[in-house]
Amino acid sequence: MSRGVAVHWRLIPQRYNLVGTECKNCGEKFFPLRQLCPNCRRSGDVREVKYSGEGEIYSYTIVHTPSEGFEFMKPYVIGVIKLVEGPFITAQIVDCKPEDLEIGKKVELVFRKVIADGSNGIIRYGYKFKLKE
Amino acid sequence: MSGRVAIIGIGITEFGELWDQRYRDLITKAGTKAIIDAGIEGEDIEGLYIGSMSPGLFSGQEHIGALVADYSGLIGIPAVRVEGACASGSLALREAYLAIKSGEMDIVVAGGVEKMTDVSASYATVTLMGAGDQEWETFKGATFPSIYALMARRHMFEYGTTIEQISQVAVKSHDNACLNPNAQFPFRVTLDQVMRSSLIADPLRLLHCSPLSDGAAAVVLASEEKAKELSKNPVWIRASSTATDTLALHDRKSLSRMDSTILAAGKAYKKAGIKPKDIEFAEVHDCFSIAEILAIEGLGFCGIGEGGRLTEGGDTALDGRIPINTSGGLKGKGHPVGATGIAQAVEATLQLRGDAGKRQVKDARLGLIHNVGGSGATTVIHILEVD
């Protein structure tokens, strides 16, 4: 189901520029953005922080049976990336052969088209990762 | 402190692609069987809790509590839908248990139902992914098989778990499903067939994945006083517990263990005053074969990282030390998500009554059922026993 523009527009800072949050109290960093530090709750206070987009592969899989809207990409790689700043995120890993993938390999952020709502709908962009040379 | 709560009636439909049956047909059929099994009348029922993950997306139908009460001929009674993704059924069971435990009600029905085959497989995949994080997992193209594949890869990396060990879970589930007349897949598969089935999300293959299924199950719960009055073979709920974890997999402390299961299991064992080794059989949430390995580790049937070897050694087979998923599990029996937790309660009740036929665990008196929502953001555990 396609939803309104605002759903995607309000997430642009995070999806385009990897903006997350950091707790001013305990210092733990989060991605995506959270209004509340899950460790400190009311005694914490969060501020925005932009991540470098550098990280390493923590786990990965090659998707052969895609979700609706991703059929044209198959097979594609979904990974959990450990960012150098600490948080883990789920993202596609692109521009690589499956056999080149390995847990621990360094990756860096690339900005790509993610999915389009049909031929007339909204085109959504965001972060993906590629192996670092 | 109020008295105990018992399961006094069970009902289940066949599981599978049931094209000739509607959502409301399935739950009405399961509920009727449970009520007949309990030997009660509709007038005796004081409340209804229905576990269902996503009837809105699968069938366009919400307002399930009233619908089920209506089609069951129970108009007037309190009826509530309970949702916790694939753990919806067990959460409904727990709500029904708590309603009796609170002293508010004496006889309550807990049901579970899902009708998943009216939509395309890719639409069903998106719908199920609603159990994950829509903004930060689904948006990137993650599917549930891929989420569990990320866990499997990590488990293999950290503990040396092999794809053969993971595949053995599916082989065992199918062996047991052959003995269950309601199972969706009552046929055997070999290790070789599992390992050569088509890739879904590497390293997970088709035969590591539970299917899309239609089906329903229901149980009648009663207070201790009512159970003793009405039932010759009550199955007592010795403990009920649930725990949560982060919605998205990537926010977890570990990808290679299921912390909500570890937490819920600890609470359940403490409430029951028992240890994992006291459990004689268990129905666990094997939505993907790796999930059963994470489950038996989290439940303490072996150490963390040892689940693959336990399975390979035959300990979890029907004639093993701790039989797991005698029903065939989600893999062999089918996985109509909202029905699954209740179906597990039905299987455990059959085992504890000694009515499980060819898949009977000899002299079973204490069993556990374990139901997971999403990638482990919710776990619900019940420990069941007979006097």
Side-chain angles (χ1 to χ4, degrees):
Chain A
M1 188 200 296
S2 40
R3 295 183 170 80
V5 179
V7 174
H8 311 298
W9 166 79
R10 65 176 172 248
L11 295 174
I12 280 176
Q14 293 146 67
R15 286 187 176 160
Y16 287 16
N17 291 315
L18 223 56
V19 172
T21 43
E22 176 182 30
C23 177
K24 288 184 200 169
N25 191 39
C26 71
E28 187 158 347
K29 294 183 168 71
F30 301 97
F31 186 89
L33 185 141
R34 286 173 183 263
Q35 302 297 338
L36 185 80
C37 171
N39 304 327
C40 306
R41 299 196 285 267
R42 274 183 301 171
S43 50
D45 188 12
V46 295
R47 66 171 161 233
E48 290 192 355
V49 51
K50 184 178 182 313
Y51 297 114
S52 64
E54 305 273 322
E56 63 176 57
I57 299 175
Y58 188 73
S59 191
Y60 66 94
T61 176
I62 300 119
V63 180
H64 294 266
T65 304
S67 202
E68 202 169 55
F70 290 88
E71 292 90 345
F72 72 99
M73 289 182 192
K74 76 169 183 180
Y76 56 90
V77 179
I78 290 282
V80 169
I81 309 298
K82 183 179 194 302
L83 298 174
V84 290
E85 294 89 350
F88 291 77
I89 66 176
T90 300
Q92 287 189 24
I93 303 171
V94 295
D95 302 347
C96 62
K97 295 194 185 86
E99 53 269 29
D100 296 336
L101 296 165
E102 208 177 301
I103 288 175
K105 273 200 173 175
K106 299 271 186 283
V107 291
E108 60 189 358
L109 181 142
V110 288
F111 181 72
R112 294 288 167 88
K113 176 178 167 180
V114 176
I115 188 174
D117 294 334
S119 52
N120 299 317
I122 303 161
I123 299 170
R124 286 174 261 163
Y125 297 88
Y127 54 81
K128 294 185 182 182
F129 286 80
K130 66 169 182 141
L131 292 171
K132 211 170 162 183
E133 294 308 322
Chain B
M1 190 68 185
S2 59
R4 296 184 294 172
V5 176
I7 296 174
I8 62 163
I10 54 174
I12 191 164
T13 67
E14 60 179 323
F15 283 7
E17 294 183 33
L18 310 175
W19 295 336
D20 58 339
Q21 295 181 67
R22 300 172 298 172
Y23 181 94
R24 58 188 78 178
D25 299 330
L26 292 166
I27 186 63
T28 308
K29 199 182 280 184
T32 305
K33 282 185 186 178
I35 291 163
I36 292 170
D37 183 56
I40 60 168
E41 300 294 329
E43 290 71 26
D44 299 326
I45 299 167
E46 294 165 273
L48 189 56
Y49 291 89
I50 302 296
S52 201
M53 175 182 166
S54 201
L57 291 175
F58 284 125
S59 311
Q61 182 68 60
E62 308 285 13
H63 210 165
I64 296 308
L67 172 76
V68 177
D70 180 2
Y71 274 74
S72 308
L74 299 173
I75 298 170
I77 68 166
V80 179
R81 169 184 162 199
V82 182
E83 192 273 312
C86 318
S88 299
S90 278
L91 284 175
L93 176 63
R94 183 171 155 78
E95 289 302 314
Y97 166 85
L98 293 174
I100 294 174
K101 209 68 181 154
S102 73
E104 183 76 11
M105 298 180 191
D106 281 310
I107 298 181
V108 181
V109 173
V113 54
E114 214 76 55
K115 174 78 196 169
M116 302 168 73
T117 67
D118 281 348
V119 298
S120 71
S122 65
Y123 182 89
T125 303
V126 173
T127 301
L128 291 169
M129 210 36 224
D133 190 323
Q134 279 296 311
E135 289 183 354
W136 307 104
E137 292 181 320
T138 316
F139 173 70
K140 293 297 174 185
T143 58
F144 254 99
S146 72
I147 297 276
Y148 275 90
L150 292 166
M151 292 191 246
R153 172 99 54 204
R154 202 62 214 178
H155 203 278
M156 294 165 84
F157 177 79
E158 290 178 31
Y159 303 116
T161 302
T162 65
I163 197 67
E164 287 83 0
Q165 291 169 342
I166 294 172
S167 302
Q168 183 58 34
V169 172
V171 172
K172 173 187 64 71
S173 294
H174 276 261
D175 283 351
N176 293 348
C178 290
L179 307 175
N180 182 350
N182 293 314
Q184 185 165 357
F185 296 141
F187 54 82
R188 292 184 200 289
V189 295
T190 64
L191 199 60
D192 191 52
Q193 282 173 320
V194 177
M195 289 177 39
R196 289 200 316 195
S197 59
S198 55
L199 273 167
I200 301 294
D202 183 65
L204 298 183
R205 293 171 181 270
L206 183 65
L207 290 177
H208 296 126
C209 306
S210 59
L212 299 173
S213 317
D214 305 327
V219 293
V220 179
L221 264 52
S223 62
E224 183 160 8
E225 190 187 342
K226 285 283 179 189
K228 284 180 172 164
E229 178 190 322
L230 295 166
S231 179
K232 289 193 296 288
N233 52 3
V235 167
W236 303 101
I237 299 178
R238 183 149 162 186
S240 169
S241 77
T242 181
T244 48
D245 200 349
T246 64
L247 192 65
L249 180 73
H250 56 236
D251 286 328
R252 307 265 165 86
K253 290 192 173 68
S254 167
L255 266 55
S256 57
R257 57 165 209 259
M258 201 168 274
D259 283 345
S260 64
T261 291
I262 294 170
L263 188 57
K267 288 198 275 189
Y269 292 138
K270 193 176 171 199
K271 280 182 196 178
I274 60 166
K275 296 207 156 37
K277 67 172 172 48
D278 298 324
I279 298 291
E280 294 161 349
F281 69 94
E283 287 286 304
V284 309
H285 197 90
D286 63 321
C287 50
F288 301 94
S289 298
I290 184 64
E292 178 166 319
I293 289 174
L294 296 170
I296 58 179
E297 292 174 2
L299 293 168
F301 300 145
C302 60
I304 300 289
E306 293 171 1
R309 286 191 291 281
L310 194 77
T311 305
E312 195 173 40
D315 285 37
T316 59
L318 194 51
D319 58 356
R321 176 172 67 82
I322 170 79
I324 301 290
N325 288 338
T326 56
S327 67
L330 284 52
K331 174 70 193 82
K333 178 186 58 188
H335 182 30
V337 287
T340 285
I342 303 290
Q344 292 176 326
V346 169
E347 177 68 12
T349 302
L350 285 172
Q351 288 289 354
L352 293 166
R353 285 177 177 180
D355 288 343
K358 287 180 179 167
R359 59 184 195 281
Q360 179 66 47
V361 175
K362 198 165 172 285
D363 301 327
R365 306 193 67 79
L366 186 67
L368 179 149
I369 58 176
H370 162 267
N371 193 193
V372 169
S375 57
T378 299
T379 291
V380 190
I381 292 172
H382 288 89
I383 295 174
L384 306 174
E385 68 176 344
V386 282
D387 282 336

